[in-house]
Amino acid sequence: MQEAAFFLRAGHLLPYSMSDYNTTDFINPSTFILLGIPGMEMAHVWISILFCTMYIIAILGNVTILFIVKMEPNLHGPMYYFLCMLAISDLVLSTAILPKMLAIFWFISREINFSACLTQMYFIHCFSVMESGILVAMAFDRYVAICNPLRHSTILTNPLVAKIGLAVVLRGGTLILPYPFLARRWPYCRTNIIPHSYCEHIALVKLACADIRVSSYYSLSVAFLVTGLDVFFITVSYIQILRAIFSLPTWDARVKTFVTCGSHIFVILASYTPALFSFLMHRFGHNVALHFHIIIANVYLVVPPMVHPIIYGMRTKEIWDRLCHKYKGKGKHL
């Protein structure tokens, strides 16, 4: 049974067969159509409930982290500054994806302006790169705190933290800047349908009726460069951390020191594991259904912003204590 497709003609969304989808000609349409998760249209409402819940948790969790760090002077340190950067990045990333995705699922609002599509694409990829850089900065903070604890405050000064944060932002913004410029210059003369739930870079440029190898090779280079270098630096940091931990004289001291890295390790796993799985599936899972590829792509971007504040809220003693104190204080006044 052929899946239903939709084309924008004379301002109306009309159903067409997949054969029409393959043959209809366009010349640079100003509006694109996001299909959501093709093949799972009947489950869109149930999927939307899950995504909406995850979005609410991500918003509440990350805003709570930002509020607690701002209100507690004792938390004004490098580790928590980087945590605030991660929270802001999570808020932007989830907001760039989920409102439009929920509009597709709830209101069948599939249309998106070309410029808005490019903007969404830029923010998604830009803040994904930023998050990876923030995780490297947090690994460096843990390295200094454990391997050079007496010099932590003199090495990671506020000016250095600000410079690291600026470098992370500039790296993300600069590396992803060619994405929308390259995507805008391609002619889109075949279709205006994006079989995805958001404007993912390759999903968009694949619609162009031109040689897109420049976009394809550049995006692949950025993915390998960013992920490869960041994972390498994180790995080197933790090798040094583990060496320092195993040099401690007692088992209790080793466990206590290692626990201070627990939150960051869980965040790294939550961030990179879905990304690695998505990459391997795109590389080797050629027989995997399209809707499964899209679900994994959504999980890769939507789950970490929800999980990060939960991990840091529950596993970081200082944040957990402040959070419990706030709720206990409110309870006494009720």
Side-chain angles (χ1 to χ4, degrees):
M1 181 177 179
Q2 291 182 321
E3 295 175 0
F6 293 84
F7 283 92
L8 191 67
R9 286 185 172 178
H12 298 285
L13 196 63
L14 300 175
Y16 283 85
S17 67
M18 289 302 290
S19 59
D20 292 326
Y21 165 84
N22 291 327
T23 60
T24 303
D25 290 333
F26 284 85
I27 299 178
N28 293 332
S30 60
T31 304
F32 282 85
I33 307 298
L34 291 168
L35 292 184
I37 305 179
M40 297 192 68
E41 288 81 4
M42 299 302 295
H44 273 182
V45 173
W46 300 106
I47 295 172
S48 70
I49 294 173
L50 176 61
F51 282 154
C52 183
T53 303
M54 294 167 69
Y55 184 45
I56 292 171
I57 294 173
I59 295 294
L60 293 178
N62 286 293
V63 168
T64 300
I65 293 289
L66 291 172
F67 176 77
I68 290 176
V69 174
K70 182 180 185 299
M71 298 302 295
E72 295 294 336
N74 294 334
L75 301 182
H76 292 178
M79 172 183 172
Y80 297 100
Y81 291 149
F82 291 137
L83 180 57
C84 286
M85 289 182 62
L86 185 66
I88 293 171
S89 179
D90 283 338
L91 287 170
V92 175
L93 187 59
S94 56
T95 302
I97 300 170
L98 282 163
K100 180 58 182 177
M101 189 187 302
L102 293 176
I104 296 170
F105 293 158
W106 287 343
F107 309 114
I108 324 293
S109 179
R110 295 187 172 98
E111 299 180 27
I112 184 169
N113 182 270
F114 187 30
S115 296
C117 187
L118 294 179
T119 302
Q120 185 191 50
M121 177 185 71
Y122 178 77
F123 272 90
I124 289 172
H125 291 284
C126 176
F127 279 86
S128 295
V129 173
M130 286 185 194
E131 285 208 354
S132 185
I134 294 168
L135 293 179
V136 176
M138 297 174 87
F140 177 66
D141 170 71
R142 291 299 83 204
Y143 161 74
V144 176
I146 292 174
C147 298
N148 295 283
L150 298 180
R151 300 181 57 201
H152 183 262
S153 59
T154 57
I155 294 175
L156 277 171
T157 59
N158 286 343
L160 180 59
V161 171
K163 290 177 182 177
I164 293 173
L166 181 61
V168 168
V169 172
L170 289 177
R171 186 187 72 154
T174 304
L175 285 177
I176 303 302
L177 194 59
Y179 279 27
F181 283 101
L182 288 172
R184 184 177 286 278
R185 68 186 293 266
W186 303 128
Y188 297 89
C189 57
R190 281 198 290 263
T191 180
N192 67 340
I193 291 180
I194 303 175
H196 214 295
S197 55
Y198 58 86
C199 290
E200 198 270 336
H201 177 242
I202 294 299
L204 173 63
V205 298
K206 277 184 176 179
L207 304 182
C209 52
D211 186 351
I212 61 166
R213 282 182 294 181
V214 174
S215 288
S216 181
Y217 289 156
Y218 182 76
S219 64
L220 190 62
S221 300
V222 169
F224 275 110
L225 178 68
V226 170
T227 306
L229 286 178
D230 289 355
V231 170
F232 172 76
F233 287 130
I234 291 172
T235 302
V236 170
S237 297
Y238 272 94
I239 288 174
Q240 298 300 317
I241 288 171
L242 290 175
R243 289 179 61 184
I245 288 175
F246 285 115
S247 67
L248 296 174
T250 65
W251 176 257
D252 289 342
R254 295 173 186 174
V255 173
K256 185 177 179 181
T257 305
F258 185 76
V259 166
T260 63
C261 301
S263 299
H264 186 241
I265 292 173
F266 280 113
V267 165
I268 291 172
L269 293 175
S271 300
Y272 285 115
T273 302
L276 178 62
F277 185 72
S278 178
F279 170 77
L280 292 176
M281 193 174 65
H282 276 282
R283 178 67 180 83
F284 302 107
H286 302 297
N287 296 324
V288 177
L290 174 62
H291 66 265
F292 194 71
H293 279 282
I294 296 175
I295 289 173
I296 295 300
N298 288 326
V299 168
Y300 155 51
L301 293 176
V302 173
V303 171
M306 176 195 70
V307 173
H308 291 165
I310 295 175
I311 292 173
Y312 272 102
M314 295 184 66
R315 293 193 57 84
T316 305
K317 184 178 184 299
E318 292 81 3
I319 293 179
W320 181 251
D321 289 345
R322 288 343 183 256
L323 187 62
C324 292
H325 177 73
K326 294 289 184 184
Y327 279 108
K328 287 180 181 178
K330 288 182 179 181
K332 290 179 181 179
H333 294 291
L334 293 178

